[in-house]
Amino acid sequence: MLSVRSTPDGRLRAAVVLGTRPEAVKLAPVLRALDDSPLFAPVLINTGQHREMLDRMLRRLGLTVSHDLAVMRERQELSALTARLIAGIGELIREERPDLVMVQGDTSSTLCGALAAFYEHVPVAHVEAGLRSGVLDDPFPEELNRRLVSRMTRWHFAPTPRAAAALTAEAVPTEDVMVTGNTVIDNLLWARDRADGRSAFRTGRRGLLVTLHRRENQGPRMRALADTLLRLADRPDVEVLVPLHRSPAVRDVLLPALGGHPRITLTEPLDYFDFIATLAACTLVLTDSGGVQEEAPSFDKPVLVLRDTTERPEAVRAGAARLAGTGPAAVHAAATALLDDPVLYRRMAAAPNPFGDGHAAERILDTLAHDFGRVPDRARSLDMLAAG
Ligand code: UD1
Ligand code: UDP
């Protein structure tokens, strides 16, 4: 049995650490479930690794922050960011003395949340565990982050059977791994019930929704991808929409390259509900985002993944996504094929979403409640998803 500090009313104190936009989206369902549960008292630690993009997301998702470390600096370097995160989170864990620390995914906030918890002897729950590209520096630094987090984690909540298998292949005990589905789907279903978003496309042309931000795509690769988008926008039947990430490394390249083209729309990051409405309205998604490629198949939208590796081959195997690479010719050919071949388009659009069933947060809470001795039965792993 785990040692329990708990609150005076007997609830378990769950510190949830997040710092970026996708962590807020993917932890929101768990935070709502923790709030609703009589067994848990959640403490939301916002590291502030992101600022405007995250604050707006937290507001829109109705999440209340307990602590804000405000670590973000313009053009932050990974080493300095890591130092601020580990010191700040460590101090809060000592102050709050939670029964567990929950982190999600593979950002710097994720790694430092887990490491600070480990240093304070607090068990770690990792949501979206087991994603692996197999290449240590791609995505950079996320592949290293997620591998390191798995070494410090007590509960590994894997979104798919493939992710669970990756963990057991690294000698993580099977009983510490639970296949839950991805919480991104829980949140999508929650948001769909509140659908008050508006599409950001300005015309009735076929919409290409593009997001780009990954560090390994910054610099020359992003310039080449921008040229490819310009070539695609030469088609009179399309509108290319690019909600720009706040990172200056992204804006320095995309704003001068794409601004001013009559069939390219550049916007600030979209409000989450507007983004979902835009996904629903588009024809095709081109992205290097993890979350976006998990969401798009729920709207029957084919995804071209603008990366050379993937830790989400489930979408490719299901037929919903294609790893298009970052080379201009390959990306242009892949997009053109989808725009011009209705059979290919329909096949990809019809592929199922392999990432979850919308009940991931329930499985996570049931497992934690059982392991802290609060309920007799442990949640059952999600076995309906085809092994990836
Ligand atoms: C981070 C994560 C990445 C995740 C992405 C989600 C790391 C190392 N990377 O990448 O895994 O996919 O978030 O979007 O953790 N900025 C702002 N305002 C904001 C957010 C960012 O101005 O609200 C600018 C700042 O200048 C900041 C820069 O963007 O220094 C980069 O932010 P950072 O969190 O370091 O990296 P991302 O590329 O956003
Ligand atoms: N998103 C959003 N507005 C945008 C672009 C994306 O709300 O303009 C949401 C999207 O729905 C998804 C998440 O942000 O849930 C993905 O975040 P991001 O691409 O920054 O990070 P990644 O998933 O690649 O880590």
Side-chain angles (χ1 to χ4, degrees):
M1 187 72 62
L2 290 148
S3 70
V4 173
R5 298 187 184 102
S6 58
T7 58
D9 63 6
R11 287 180 301 158
L12 297 160
R13 295 168 63 75
V16 179
V17 177
L18 58 80
T20 69
R21 172 170 72 179
E23 291 165 78
V25 171
K26 292 176 174 180
L27 284 169
V30 187
L31 281 158
R32 281 186 218 108
L34 288 168
D35 263 334
D36 290 346
S37 164
L39 301 177
F40 295 94
V43 178
L44 175 49
I45 299 178
N46 174 7
T47 67
Q49 178 180 336
H50 280 178
R51 197 68 281 170
E52 311 87 335
M53 283 166 59
L54 175 61
D55 291 347
R56 184 181 191 187
M57 186 64 88
L58 292 168
R59 266 197 313 279
R60 289 296 269 152
L61 298 176
L63 302 178
T64 309
V65 170
S66 313
H67 301 279
D68 186 340
L69 289 167
V71 299
M72 195 192 86
R73 304 289 181 271
E74 197 180 328
R75 295 177 198 267
Q76 53 206 357
E77 300 289 347
L78 290 174
S79 47
L81 171 64
T82 301
R84 290 193 295 278
L85 285 165
I86 195 81
I89 301 169
E91 205 174 313
L92 282 179
I93 293 177
R94 282 191 295 281
E95 195 180 305
E96 287 284 353
R97 298 183 53 75
D99 296 298
L100 69 108
V101 168
M102 182 178 290
V103 295
Q104 192 282 334
D106 49 25
T107 70
S108 295
S109 291
T110 314
L111 171 64
C112 294
L115 188 55
F118 183 80
Y119 286 161
E120 301 302 329
H121 306 285
V122 179
V124 175
H126 185 202
V127 177
E128 200 185 68
L131 272 60
R132 298 289 185 268
S133 71
V135 182
L136 189 60
D137 62 355
D138 194 344
F140 177 85
E142 290 83 1
E143 177 78 0
L144 175 67
N145 288 351
R146 51 171 89 110
R147 290 193 202 184
L148 291 175
V149 172
S150 298
R151 304 280 75 80
M152 321 163 192
T153 290
R154 164 69 180 77
W155 295 276
H156 305 255
F157 295 116
T160 64
R162 176 196 187 260
L167 290 162
T168 49
E170 292 172 8
V172 174
T174 316
E175 60 273 21
D176 293 352
V177 181
M178 156 79 47
V179 181
T180 59
N182 198 309
T183 53
V184 79
I185 306 296
D186 299 31
N187 207 59
L188 204 54
L189 299 179
W190 173 89
R192 269 184 169 182
D193 290 344
R194 289 161 182 76
D196 64 347
R198 288 182 45 184
S199 163
F201 285 107
R202 291 185 309 182
T203 67
R205 297 197 192 100
R206 302 166 83 192
L208 271 52
L209 176 57
V210 181
T211 78
L212 277 171
H213 73 275
R214 306 223 76 87
R215 279 176 195 253
E216 68 278 4
N217 275 347
Q218 291 169 8
R221 275 193 196 169
M222 202 163 287
R223 269 187 286 280
L225 285 167
D227 286 344
T228 310
L229 296 176
L230 284 170
R231 268 185 78 199
L232 287 169
D234 280 343
R235 293 175 62 117
D237 61 336
V238 303
E239 176 184 354
V240 178
L241 173 71
V242 190
L244 290 167
H245 193 283
R246 297 289 300 214
S247 171
V250 172
R251 292 180 172 223
D252 286 353
V253 172
L254 296 186
L255 269 170
L258 302 179
H261 192 290
R263 284 186 294 280
I264 299 183
T265 306
L266 300 179
T267 69
E268 287 300 321
L270 299 179
D271 167 84
Y272 178 62
F273 292 91
D274 291 344
F275 187 78
I276 285 174
T278 307
L279 255 182
C282 79
T283 297
L284 180 59
V285 178
L286 295 94
T287 189
D288 64 5
S289 160
V292 175
Q293 59 180 294
E294 290 157 346
E295 291 163 347
S298 290
F299 297 92
D300 299 333
K301 306 300 175 182
V303 181
L304 294 179
V305 180
L306 304 179
R307 291 184 38 194
D308 296 325
T309 64
T310 183
E311 58 285 302
R312 295 173 171 85
E314 295 90 341
V316 177
R317 290 199 190 131
R322 190 168 154 202
L323 192 60
T326 51
V331 173
H332 186 267
T336 304
L338 275 163
L339 289 170
D340 291 340
D341 181 346
V343 176
L344 173 67
Y345 184 90
R346 276 199 296 274
R347 198 166 57 231
M348 279 187 80
N353 189 326
F355 290 113
D357 65 353
H359 296 284
E362 279 165 41
R363 293 186 183 95
I364 290 169
L365 256 65
D366 285 355
T367 304
L368 294 174
H370 171 270
D371 289 2
F372 277 101
R374 300 299 164 101
V375 295
D377 297 321
R378 201 168 198 239
R380 286 190 46 229
S381 252
L382 179 61
D383 50 15
M384 54 163 278
L385 299 169

